Amino acid sequence: MMLTLAPINTNLWILRIKGKDETKKFLSNLGLVEGTTIHIISEMNGNLIVNVKDTRVAIGKDLSKRIIVSDKKEERVV
């Protein structure tokens, strides 16, 4: 599921990041890479505050739509 559709206050795992290389690099610099645990702290109008690697990061609606997550660590995206 897209990060924008994920429930708040649950641990999630990043399965895939969609987009161009510069988008992936930008999110990677924030610590958002495949296989990382992410926790949604709050949501307002599609914009999210997430906790990743013990750091709070604000993600806009457009970027959060590009992050595919799951509540099951072993799930895979085809």
Side-chain angles (χ1 to χ4, degrees):
M1 80 181 101
M2 291 187 299
L3 186 59
T4 54
L5 302 175
I8 296 175
N9 290 327
T10 56
N11 286 328
L12 303 164
W13 287 269
I14 298 175
L15 297 177
R16 187 168 62 123
I17 296 177
K18 303 186 297 185
K20 296 182 180 180
D21 287 339
E22 56 260 8
T23 302
K24 291 179 181 181
K25 183 166 175 68
F26 176 74
L27 291 173
S28 173
N29 288 336
L30 294 175
L32 299 164
V33 294
E34 294 177 8
T36 303
T37 303
I38 189 170
H39 185 86
I40 301 174
I41 297 170
S42 67
E43 181 270 334
M44 182 178 281
N45 297 328
N47 301 314
L48 302 173
I49 305 286
V50 299
N51 191 4
V52 59
K53 297 183 180 179
D54 295 328
T55 304
R56 288 186 179 197
V57 178
I59 303 173
K61 184 190 299 187
D62 293 335
L63 282 179
S64 62
K65 288 181 181 177
R66 298 175 185 271
I67 301 170
I68 307 300
V69 297
S70 173
D71 58 351
K72 298 176 186 151
K73 191 172 187 175
E74 53 280 334
E75 187 174 319
R76 295 184 183 200
V77 173
V78 178

